[in-house]
Amino acid sequence: QVQVVESGGGLVQPGGSLRLSCAASGSIFSINAMVWYRQAPGKQRELVAAITSGGSTNYADSLKGRFTISRDNAKKTVYLQMNSLKPEDTAVYYCRVVVTTTPPYDYWGQGTQVTVSS
């Protein structure tokens, strides 16, 4: 069985910072990529950032410079450092883990709420 658990969300004021974590565990032999998404109320789910097991990264253009993704392959954990937070960053943040099966298969966490408000 595979478990994907996000943590680190909460309430912060505009301009503040948060660090999200996503840990994968269970019968995962190898991870191809780990990806952060978010979904704000009334909006579609959008890609935030992604990182491969080799360290290659990708970001939503609007978030470059404020958000940073990193990983610890040994711990099967991905992090999202969020700085200079804005009210429009308020959303549920989800973690997607892509495993190196043939074909690749993915697993999703339950999400963690981030609220940016004064």
Side-chain angles (χ1 to χ4, degrees):
Q1 295 181 343
V2 175
Q3 294 179 327
V4 179
V5 180
E6 303 101 331
S7 62
L11 174 64
V12 297
Q13 65 181 29
S17 298
L18 280 175
R19 182 181 175 90
L20 306 183
S21 298
C22 171
S25 62
S27 58
I28 300 176
F29 178 76
S30 183
I31 296 174
N32 187 55
M34 301 182 78
V35 190
W36 285 102
Y37 298 82
R38 69 183 184 184
Q39 187 166 21
K43 296 185 177 181
Q44 298 182 42
R45 183 180 64 193
E46 64 176 336
L47 174 72
V48 175
I51 189 167
T52 68
S53 60
S56 179
T57 60
N58 188 43
Y59 297 89
D61 288 340
S62 62
L63 302 179
K64 289 182 178 179
R66 294 197 299 121
F67 288 15
T68 303
I69 190 170
S70 61
R71 92 294 186 199
D72 185 328
N73 287 345
K75 296 182 178 180
K76 298 179 180 178
T77 299
V78 64
Y79 307 95
L80 184 68
Q81 179 67 45
M82 306 186 296
N83 298 323
S84 301
L85 285 164
K86 305 174 182 179
E88 52 262 44
D89 295 319
T90 295
V92 178
Y93 285 70
Y94 296 95
C95 179
R96 175 190 174 216
V97 178
V98 184
V99 299
T100 56
T101 53
T102 304
Y105 195 79
D106 57 3
Y107 299 89
W108 291 80
Q110 296 297 311
T112 184
Q113 177 71 48
V114 172
T115 302
V116 185
S117 179
S118 60

